[in-house]
Amino acid sequence: MNKSLLASNTVGWAGGRKPNASKPRLSGILLSAQTTLLVLLLSFNAYAEPRATGDLGLIIEREDGAALIVNTTEHKQLAKIAGLGDLSHASVVFSRDQRYAYVFGRDGGLSKIDLLLDKLEKRIVQAGNSIGGAISQDGKLVAVSNYQPGGVKVFAADTLALVADIPTDYAPGQRSKVVGLVDAPGQKFVFSLFDAGEIWTLDMQNPHQPALEKFKNIGKQPYDALISPDGRYYIAGLFGESGLALLDLWNTAAGVQRILPHFDKNDDKWPVYKMPHLEGWAMAGDWLFAPAIGKHEVWVINKRDWTLHKTIPVLGQPVFVMVRPDARQVWVNFALPNNNHLQLIDVKNLTVTNTLTPGKAALHMEFTPRGEQVWVALRDDNQVRVYDTATLREIARLPAQHPNGIFFSARAHKIGF
Amino acid sequence: MNKSLLASNTVGWAGGRKPNASKPRLSGILLSAQTTLLVLLLSFNAYAEPRATGDLGLIIEREDGAALIVNTTEHKQLAKIAGLGDLSHASVVFSRDQRYAYVFGRDGGLSKIDLLLDKLEKRIVQAGNSIGGAISQDGKLVAVSNYQPGGVKVFAADTLALVADIPTDYAPGQRSKVVGLVDAPGQKFVFSLFDAGEIWTLDMQNPHQPALEKFKNIGKQPYDALISPDGRYYIAGLFGESGLALLDLWNTAAGVQRILPHFDKNDDKWPVYKMPHLEGWAMAGDWLFAPAIGKHEVWVINKRDWTLHKTIPVLGQPVFVMVRPDARQVWVNFALPNNNHLQLIDVKNLTVTNTLTPGKAALHMEFTPRGEQVWVALRDDNQVRVYDTATLREIARLPAQHPNGIFFSARAHKIGF
């Protein structure tokens, strides 16, 4: 009986019912001895399991508009947070103390989740259609990248109050969708204007005087971008023409440079089933690994001179090309019709060494901070599978409703995540 | 009255008194109503302030044999943990959930601190004299680097039970001091034998069958080492001869290579006031920044071919040469008689741009994970000063008794810390 009491209490607290549960505190004297004992058990039990936040993460459940709070040490679900809106394209950033997760939904929703009390702390709908966000170097500002209306909005991380509104007007009556929004050192955000072919930097050192720097004619239709792990290089992929746009944030006076200008991305004329993603994960030692658009290739770009070092043939159109934290392996997932597969590239030899078939629709992967595990979201299998990245053996499996994204709290400590 | 109650309760709990405090749980029915109310207030209040662990750290108080738990967002001390023994040369690693800090003392003490309950969870004295330690990639093993008796001991991170004992016997009756112990990907530890001039790797994939690989004749008197942030390159400094010893963990068959072999470390014959430290912080982009021994220089080594790119004159003998997480600045502190100063190197231009005099005996520095702050331990001023690394303005000051080390919980997610 005792055990079940404790168990149910835990669930009670996990639901974030502290406000109700704390009522006895005001009327404790009036409680019967038994109730008092129960409340004591409840409260001490709640305190008996303090939670650290270094090994937590969120799994996005696309159809349910929900997120699962998970623990990567015990490979278990701690809670499910519902009511997050349209998560068909969701991303997550974390507060610097790793207590809060900020979920950016497709419907313009910005949701703040408390990872300690297992509750939705606050949710706002700040635009009609958005594509992601970032958190400032000091953790005090959260920026969102909007399609409709096009622009960037910056909110206070604690209250979600609007701090700055940056509409991306680039010509009379012309406003651009915003893509590739990242944080950069020095309280900056950097983003690209899909319709305008521009890159803007936003300096929020003084939150009341946002300072914009605009780089025009950087190339047609930037569709996504990444920033190097040290926060120096911002690189936007171009959908409308060949090559990539590179901005060196240590030398913005040099402007935006085109890299791989003569490299046609789609010469075999396959339809592009899904736009690839660019993320800070793609840098390993001297190499930048980039997914080719509409081709069955991963490009290996030499960071020293930004030339193409090698193209690695893969089994489908790559979507995510992610470097394991120790830079030894690159994991690749694919667009339809190959999205049941993953391939591994050995960075030492720059060759594909393994092909895995973890299940149906492997849409996203996340490495644990030191790289010993990788978690794979299998949307059409309703589960997440966890692999040992050294042995490629399965470590664990977690049920999840149509999972399409996995984000661990260690992102809080990284530049550009 | 209510307020003061809550305040004092917090302190009570901070002292880690939960075991006593939980007694009422067993005899709640017998308690007077008033006591019951107090206990309720006490317990709910204890739960009322859940603590995240992403922005925590430890400040080592050398003389007191104590550590302060601090919060880097609010710049405040949360608790003081005493009874940690001789911390004249202390280092700290963190569990993967960032709940526990493991403090390695000079006296062979290994202390496990609970950062959530503010208490010393366990302490063992595992050797007579030790110099530091590391935590395994999966967070389950803690290894300690011992001088007396020479060797490495590996403990279970949860219980501190001995898992493996690796005496460093290198000749009949000859046992070496161990230095430069780091963790490496694949459940490995790497360390150097000061007396033997050897580097050993220890594979703990199977904790019951530790696998050693030994590299002999790597150079005279390795005194410390670092591993690159990606865990690939292990580099040991040599005190007994010129140059550094380099082991590529992606290609151990190539053995240990000497870099900068003709570069005499001490040609101006100054006494070495303090051995410099080598840490994973020293890598920035293409450069490895290394403190010269007994010289007033920082060496800039080209990671592409491991040749000397530049020597940067500094105002004293460098001790710590630490790269800000965004790789744009290098902060340097110095041995006596210059240990009241810090110098900053701009990585873009490879020149000294600033000289700071934060106070007396600036023995250690720690950057916040994304580099916006640096904390400086001022042993002879009995305080820690916090600077904004962009403006170099002071953000905060914390009192501390003879602080000589600062370690933040984000180290949990890094390779080689």
Side-chain angles (χ1 to χ4, degrees):
Chain A
M1 174 267 186
N2 211 330
K3 254 193 170 354
S4 68
L5 239 185
L6 299 181
S8 60
N9 293 341
T10 311
V11 174
W13 284 87
R17 297 221 315 268
K18 201 176 115 291
N20 313 337
S22 65
K23 277 184 192 150
R25 158 181 179 165
L26 305 176
S27 53
I29 296 167
L30 308 175
L31 292 171
S32 79
Q34 261 181 317
T35 322
T36 306
L37 176 56
L38 164 57
V39 173
L40 280 164
L41 283 167
L42 191 155
S43 54
F44 280 114
N45 177 61
Y47 188 71
E49 291 298 343
R51 180 184 297 176
T53 52
D55 57 351
L56 301 182
L58 280 190
I59 296 173
I60 301 298
E61 292 190 319
R62 178 194 167 112
E63 308 305 325
D64 289 14
L68 307 178
I69 301 176
V70 295
N71 175 300
T72 67
T73 305
E74 294 164 14
H75 307 112
K76 77 175 187 192
Q77 176 181 328
L78 301 177
K80 176 167 179 164
I81 311 297
L84 304 180
D86 177 356
L87 301 184
S88 57
H89 188 294
S91 65
V92 179
V93 299
F94 295 86
S95 62
R96 77 188 297 281
D97 63 357
Q98 298 177 330
R99 175 170 180 173
Y100 299 102
Y102 301 87
V103 181
F104 307 97
R106 192 63 203 246
D107 55 2
L110 169 57
S111 305
K112 181 181 182 182
I113 293 172
D114 186 331
L115 301 174
L116 286 180
L117 298 186
D118 296 331
K119 67 176 186 184
L120 178 57
E121 169 105 351
K122 186 161 189 180
R123 170 171 164 82
I124 61 172
V125 175
Q126 54 81 45
N129 185 329
S130 47
I131 195 66
I135 187 163
S136 63
Q137 182 179 32
D138 69 359
K140 292 179 179 163
L141 301 171
V142 173
V144 192
S145 171
N146 291 325
Y147 277 9
Q148 193 50 249
V152 170
K153 285 185 179 173
V154 183
F155 300 90
D158 52 0
T159 62
L160 299 192
L162 185 66
V163 172
D165 186 356
I166 314 291
T168 43
D169 298 318
Y170 62 97
Q174 304 274 59
R175 183 168 294 188
S176 176
K177 293 194 206 66
V178 173
V179 298
L181 172 67
V182 300
D183 61 272
Q187 286 293 95
K188 286 194 175 68
F189 295 104
V190 188
F191 51 92
S192 298
L193 280 58
F194 177 84
D195 308 292
E198 298 182 8
I199 293 173
W200 292 10
T201 67
L202 171 62
D203 184 334
M204 295 296 295
Q205 298 258 25
N206 179 348
H208 308 299
Q209 291 181 330
L212 281 171
E213 188 174 10
K214 302 179 182 182
F215 301 87
K216 299 176 183 287
N217 306 312
I218 61 104
K220 293 198 185 72
Q221 298 177 310
Y223 64 89
D224 196 8
L226 66 87
I227 191 165
S228 57
D230 61 7
R232 175 171 183 175
Y233 297 108
Y234 179 83
I235 301 170
L238 300 176
F239 187 66
E241 57 188 286
S242 297
L244 302 159
L246 169 73
L247 177 62
D248 179 355
L249 294 169
W250 289 13
N251 184 19
T252 54
V256 173
Q257 159 194 0
R258 181 74 54 91
I259 62 178
L260 308 187
H262 308 300
F263 205 74
D264 181 75
K265 83 194 58 53
N266 198 9
D267 49 15
D268 39 19
K269 305 285 171 272
W270 282 326
V272 176
Y273 294 108
K274 181 173 177 17
M275 292 302 288
H277 281 261
L278 300 175
E279 284 203 14
W281 299 118
M283 296 266 188
D286 292 332
W287 312 123
L288 165 64
F289 292 85
I293 299 181
K295 298 180 72 165
H296 294 191
E297 290 175 359
V298 169
W299 300 344
V300 184
I301 298 166
N302 188 332
K303 266 171 61 190
R304 298 174 190 174
D305 54 13
W306 303 106
T307 56
L308 186 74
H309 175 73
K310 187 176 181 181
T311 61
I312 301 175
V314 289
L315 62 73
Q317 293 182 18
V319 176
F320 283 102
V321 174
M322 298 171 74
V323 175
R324 196 174 67 177
D326 70 348
R328 181 60 197 268
Q329 291 177 347
V330 172
W331 288 58
V332 185
N333 71 341
F334 302 98
L336 284 166
N338 303 106
N339 67 359
N340 295 348
H341 295 81
L342 299 175
Q343 286 193 307
L344 269 66
I345 294 168
D346 180 314
V347 173
K348 184 180 174 189
N349 308 314
L350 298 179
T351 55
V352 172
T353 53
N354 303 81
T355 300
L356 306 180
T357 53
K360 300 206 196 86
L363 292 195
H364 195 234
M365 302 164 282
E366 180 88 332
F367 294 100
T368 48
R370 288 168 63 184
E372 75 281 7
Q373 304 170 26
V374 64
W375 291 45
V376 180
L378 298 164
R379 186 193 59 198
D380 299 345
D381 276 342
N382 291 314
Q383 64 180 346
V384 167
R385 294 179 73 177
V386 183
Y387 293 92
D388 177 321
T389 60
T391 62
L392 303 187
R393 278 197 295 268
E394 178 177 299
I395 300 169
R397 242 178 242 225
L398 290 82
Q401 290 306 309
H402 306 292
N404 63 331
I406 306 173
F407 304 88
F408 293 156
S409 61
R411 288 175 175 246
H413 298 152
K414 291 176 176 291
I415 295 167
F417 289 89
Chain B
M1 173 267 185
N2 212 330
K3 256 193 168 354
S4 69
L5 240 183
L6 299 182
S8 61
N9 294 341
T10 310
V11 174
W13 283 88
R17 296 221 316 268
K18 200 175 116 290
N20 313 337
S22 64
K23 278 187 193 144
R25 160 179 179 165
L26 305 176
S27 54
I29 296 165
L30 308 173
L31 290 172
S32 79
Q34 262 180 322
T35 322
T36 306
L37 177 57
L38 164 57
V39 173
L40 280 165
L41 282 167
L42 192 155
S43 54
F44 280 114
N45 176 60
Y47 188 72
E49 289 299 343
R51 180 185 297 176
T53 52
D55 58 350
L56 301 182
L58 278 190
I59 296 173
I60 300 298
E61 293 190 320
R62 178 193 167 112
E63 310 303 327
D64 288 12
L68 308 178
I69 301 176
V70 295
N71 176 300
T72 67
T73 305
E74 293 165 13
H75 308 112
K76 77 176 187 193
Q77 175 182 328
L78 301 177
K80 175 168 179 164
I81 311 297
L84 305 180
D86 177 357
L87 300 183
S88 58
H89 187 294
S91 64
V92 180
V93 299
F94 294 87
S95 61
R96 77 189 297 281
D97 64 356
Q98 297 177 329
R99 174 170 180 171
Y100 299 103
Y102 300 88
V103 181
F104 307 98
R106 193 61 200 250
D107 56 3
L110 170 57
S111 304
K112 181 181 181 182
I113 294 172
D114 186 331
L115 301 174
L116 286 181
L117 299 185
D118 295 331
K119 67 175 185 182
L120 178 57
E121 168 107 350
K122 185 159 189 181
R123 169 172 165 81
I124 61 173
V125 176
Q126 54 82 44
N129 185 329
S130 49
I131 195 64
I135 187 163
S136 63
Q137 182 179 31
D138 68 359
K140 290 179 180 162
L141 302 170
V142 174
V144 192
S145 170
N146 291 324
Y147 277 9
Q148 194 49 248
V152 170
K153 285 185 179 173
V154 183
F155 299 90
D158 51 0
T159 62
L160 299 191
L162 185 67
V163 173
D165 186 357
I166 314 290
T168 43
D169 298 320
Y170 62 97
Q174 304 274 59
R175 184 169 293 189
S176 176
K177 295 195 206 65
V178 173
V179 298
L181 172 68
V182 300
D183 61 272
Q187 285 294 93
K188 286 194 175 68
F189 295 104
V190 188
F191 51 93
S192 298
L193 280 59
F194 177 84
D195 308 293
E198 298 183 7
I199 292 172
W200 292 10
T201 66
L202 172 61
D203 185 333
M204 294 295 295
Q205 298 258 25
N206 179 348
H208 308 298
Q209 290 180 334
L212 282 171
E213 189 174 9
K214 302 178 181 183
F215 301 86
K216 297 174 184 289
N217 306 312
I218 62 104
K220 293 199 185 71
Q221 298 177 309
Y223 66 89
D224 196 8
L226 66 86
I227 190 164
S228 57
D230 61 7
R232 175 172 183 175
Y233 297 108
Y234 179 83
I235 301 170
L238 300 175
F239 187 66
E241 58 187 285
S242 298
L244 303 158
L246 169 72
L247 177 62
D248 179 355
L249 294 169
W250 289 14
N251 184 19
T252 54
V256 172
Q257 159 193 1
R258 182 74 54 89
I259 61 178
L260 308 187
H262 308 302
F263 206 71
D264 180 70
K265 80 191 60 53
N266 198 10
D267 48 17
D268 39 18
K269 303 287 171 270
W270 282 325
V272 177
Y273 295 107
K274 182 173 180 11
M275 293 301 290
H277 280 260
L278 301 175
E279 283 203 14
W281 299 119
M283 296 267 188
D286 293 331
W287 313 122
L288 164 64
F289 292 86
I293 298 181
K295 298 180 73 164
H296 293 192
E297 290 176 359
V298 169
W299 300 344
V300 184
I301 298 166
N302 188 332
K303 266 171 60 190
R304 297 174 190 174
D305 55 12
W306 303 106
T307 56
L308 186 74
H309 175 73
K310 188 176 182 183
T311 62
I312 300 175
V314 290
L315 61 75
Q317 293 182 17
V319 176
F320 283 102
V321 174
M322 298 170 74
V323 175
R324 194 173 69 177
D326 70 348
R328 181 60 196 268
Q329 289 176 349
V330 172
W331 288 58
V332 186
N333 72 340
F334 301 98
L336 283 166
N338 305 105
N339 68 359
N340 294 348
H341 294 82
L342 299 174
Q343 286 194 309
L344 269 66
I345 294 169
D346 180 313
V347 173
K348 185 181 174 187
N349 309 313
L350 298 179
T351 55
V352 172
T353 53
N354 304 80
T355 300
L356 306 180
T357 53
K360 300 205 194 86
L363 294 195
H364 196 233
M365 302 164 282
E366 180 88 332
F367 294 99
T368 48
R370 287 167 65 183
E372 75 280 9
Q373 304 170 26
V374 64
W375 291 45
V376 180
L378 300 164
R379 186 194 57 199
D380 300 345
D381 275 342
N382 292 314
Q383 64 179 347
V384 167
R385 294 180 72 175
V386 183
Y387 292 92
D388 178 320
T389 61
T391 62
L392 304 186
R393 278 197 294 269
E394 179 177 299
I395 300 168
R397 248 177 237 226
L398 290 81
Q401 291 305 308
H402 304 292
N404 63 331
I406 306 173
F407 303 87
F408 293 154
S409 61
R411 287 176 175 247
H413 297 151
K414 292 175 176 291
I415 295 167
F417 289 88

